[in-house]
Amino acid sequence: MKILTTILVTILFALSLNAQVVPIIELKSGGLLGGVENGKYLDAKTTFGKLNGKQSYSIFGITGKTGELTATIEAPDAPCEEFYYANTELERQQGIGIGTSRTWNPVPRTPRAINLNDKTYLTIVSSILRAKGLPKSKAVIEQAVKVDLDGDGTDEVVLTASSYGGKIAPGAKAGDYSFLLVRKIVGGKAKNIMIAEEYIKKNIEFGAPSRFEIAAIADLNGDGKMEIVQFGEYYEGSGAGVYEITDKAVEIKMLETNCGV
């Protein structure tokens, strides 16, 4: 019995030595978010130290896999001294790249698109705007999907709403807004869970307002639960973060990237 235990421990140790880090990049910001090793998240700096040259990635967006690419991660440089740049053939494409060394399916449940003019969700957006002090702002949904994030058999709704028309400028008008929302059943009732939000109450000539998007929805570490990758931009910068959803939005602080002035 003792011999078998020793052999098993030796095999597991050898497997751990051979485990490959799975890098994750956010394509629109062009940065390395971090990585996964043996199911655990690694920050960008640690992940970079474990990579060697060009890596292969699968691209995932809001509704699943969209393609493949290769990328080389480059060390930080001024002015963004903690930004690990993913050098790829793509330019500002929406989505994320997950290393092909992964051993799990990043999309165990496929998100399904919701009509952006759906009256139910436009009403929800309008209600939020009124509650935030913007009763005259028009409800505009930019992205919307249904997906069972945690595998409990009940769908969540993930959406972004914004007044910026897909573009960002140095200034903003009173009534401008952008937010990323998850609508989830908690305790038998629908709950709005905000991931990112900003509301403009008065005109600003230069205030670097922010606009938020869903970059991707995917299982990033192989635990069967799907995380939300949020992309955010302002006039001279952009970045991304990752959130898991319980009864609130929990930021995975090991996974982030940003660069701006």
Side-chain angles (χ1 to χ4, degrees), residues 6-256:
T6 302
I7 292 172
L8 180 59
V9 169
T10 302
I11 291 172
L12 291 174
F13 180 70
L15 289 172
S16 68
L17 289 177
N18 292 327
Q20 289 184 301
V21 62
V22 179
I24 305 169
I25 58 179
E26 200 282 318
L27 297 176
K28 207 164 186 181
S29 66
L32 175 68
L33 283 165
V36 175
E37 188 175 50
N38 295 324
K40 295 184 178 180
Y41 293 119
L42 305 176
D43 63 20
K45 182 178 181 180
T46 303
T47 301
F48 177 74
K50 291 175 175 285
L51 300 179
N52 184 19
K54 186 176 292 187
Q55 305 285 322
S56 297
Y57 297 82
S58 298
I59 304 172
F60 295 89
I62 301 173
T63 56
K65 185 177 177 181
T66 61
E68 305 283 342
L69 83 159
T70 58
T72 302
I73 308 301
E74 298 181 358
D77 198 0
C80 301
E81 298 181 352
E82 296 183 351
F83 181 78
Y84 292 82
Y85 174 65
N87 189 349
T88 78
E89 68 274 18
L90 301 176
E91 293 187 9
R92 292 184 63 80
Q93 174 175 318
Q94 192 175 65
I96 61 172
I98 304 177
T100 55
S101 57
R102 67 188 183 276
T103 57
W104 68 93
N105 176 14
V107 187
R109 296 167 296 280
T110 304
R112 305 179 308 283
I114 296 173
N115 188 322
L116 300 183
N117 295 311
D118 185 291
K119 291 183 179 180
T120 297
Y121 297 107
L122 286 173
T123 299
I124 291 169
V125 171
S126 293
S127 296
I128 291 169
L129 294 175
R130 285 196 300 272
K132 297 295 183 177
L134 304 181
K136 296 182 180 179
S137 297
K138 181 181 178 181
V140 179
I141 298 174
E142 293 190 332
Q143 301 166 295
V145 295
K146 284 185 178 181
V147 60
D148 182 359
L149 293 171
D150 52 16
D152 67 353
T154 301
D155 283 341
E156 284 73 44
V157 171
V158 188
L159 66 81
T160 58
S162 173
S163 62
Y164 295 115
K167 299 177 182 179
I168 201 71
K173 306 185 299 296
D176 280 338
Y177 65 92
S178 181
F179 62 80
L180 196 169
L181 165 76
V182 178
R183 191 163 170 85
K184 179 180 176 65
I185 301 299
V186 178
K189 296 182 179 180
K191 180 179 180 180
N192 293 329
I193 301 172
M194 284 291 180
I195 289 180
E197 58 184 330
E198 185 177 84
Y199 309 93
I200 306 299
K201 301 293 181 64
K202 60 181 180 179
N203 294 339
I204 52 175
E205 183 177 349
F206 189 89
S210 298
R211 176 179 170 274
F212 308 106
E213 291 182 0
I214 308 163
I217 301 173
D219 176 4
L220 299 182
N221 66 348
D223 67 353
K225 297 179 180 180
M226 301 174 75
E227 286 75 43
I228 297 170
V229 184
Q230 172 254 314
F231 168 80
E233 63 178 341
Y234 60 96
Y235 185 61
E236 293 184 314
S238 65
V242 178
Y243 296 81
E244 60 184 23
I245 304 301
T246 55
D247 59 347
K248 59 183 179 179
V250 180
E251 184 178 7
I252 301 173
K253 295 184 178 180
M254 299 289 280
L255 301 180
E256 63 176 355

